[in-house]
Amino acid sequence: MLKKILVTTDGSEISKKAIKEAVDFAASYGSTIVGLAVAETFPQVVLPEIGAGYNLKSIEDDILRQTVLNANFIADLAKAAGATCEIHTVKAEHPHEAILKVATETGCDSIFMASHGRRGLDKLILGSQTQKVLAPVSYTHLTLPTTPY
């Protein structure tokens, strides 16, 4: 059975649904939840004039505060369900890389995460963190929730 489940969140409603499913699963089977929220960093401003007049440090601080709240949401649900949980918050330019790194470092044997289901131009421009996490994974070792999000 699954012993450690990495549960990621970006704070979206669809992500919260995936968290609930993962926590319920973990509580039912005695698995440990490893919660992860990634604060996406933007190391270079493409158009510096956009940043003029804005306090970019304040924006970064707001992102970090929200990331902590997102991670705490996982911990709160796990506690309410009686599931063992540890949470992590990290800053990363590429969230999918942070997800894979934390999964490896904490010894997770599965990952629960939601997908926004972007298609076409949105997927091309915005990308899909879920798709980027799935790409290097062998599909024979992938565990997915049974209910679609």
Side-chain angles (χ1 to χ4, degrees):
M1 189 46 62
L2 304 176
K3 294 182 187 211
K4 275 190 150 180
I5 302 169
L6 182 71
V7 181
T8 66
T9 182
D10 61 5
S12 65
E13 289 304 312
I14 196 165
S15 180
K16 289 177 181 178
K17 289 179 184 180
I19 293 165
K20 172 102 174 78
E21 292 295 325
V23 166
D24 289 347
F25 181 91
S28 296
Y29 293 99
S31 305
T32 297
I33 292 288
V34 176
L36 174 63
V38 180
E40 190 169 1
T41 59
F42 305 97
Q44 298 176 10
V45 178
V46 177
L47 299 172
E49 53 276 353
I50 290 176
Y54 291 99
N55 182 347
L56 297 179
K57 174 71 172 131
S58 174
I59 293 169
E60 181 178 293
D61 290 345
D62 288 344
I63 291 170
L64 290 173
R65 274 192 290 279
Q66 186 59 53
T67 300
V68 170
L69 292 174
N70 293 344
N72 287 338
F73 178 81
I74 298 171
D76 293 344
L77 281 184
K79 183 178 180 180
T84 304
C85 180
E86 64 183 73
I87 60 169
H88 301 265
T89 57
V90 297
K91 291 196 279 186
E93 185 177 348
H94 303 289
H96 68 280
E97 291 174 356
I99 292 166
L100 292 170
K101 180 178 180 185
V102 171
T104 301
E105 289 175 350
T106 59
C108 291
D109 47 24
S110 63
I111 300 173
F112 270 67
M113 63 188 299
S115 174
H116 290 280
R118 292 186 177 106
R119 299 188 190 285
L121 192 55
D122 279 351
K123 184 174 181 179
L124 181 64
I125 294 172
L126 301 173
S128 165
Q129 296 305 315
T130 303
Q131 184 61 38
K132 290 173 184 170
V133 168
L134 289 175
V137 176
S138 166
Y139 287 98
T140 58
H141 296 100
L142 181 65
T143 304
L144 297 173
T146 56
T147 52
Y149 298 106

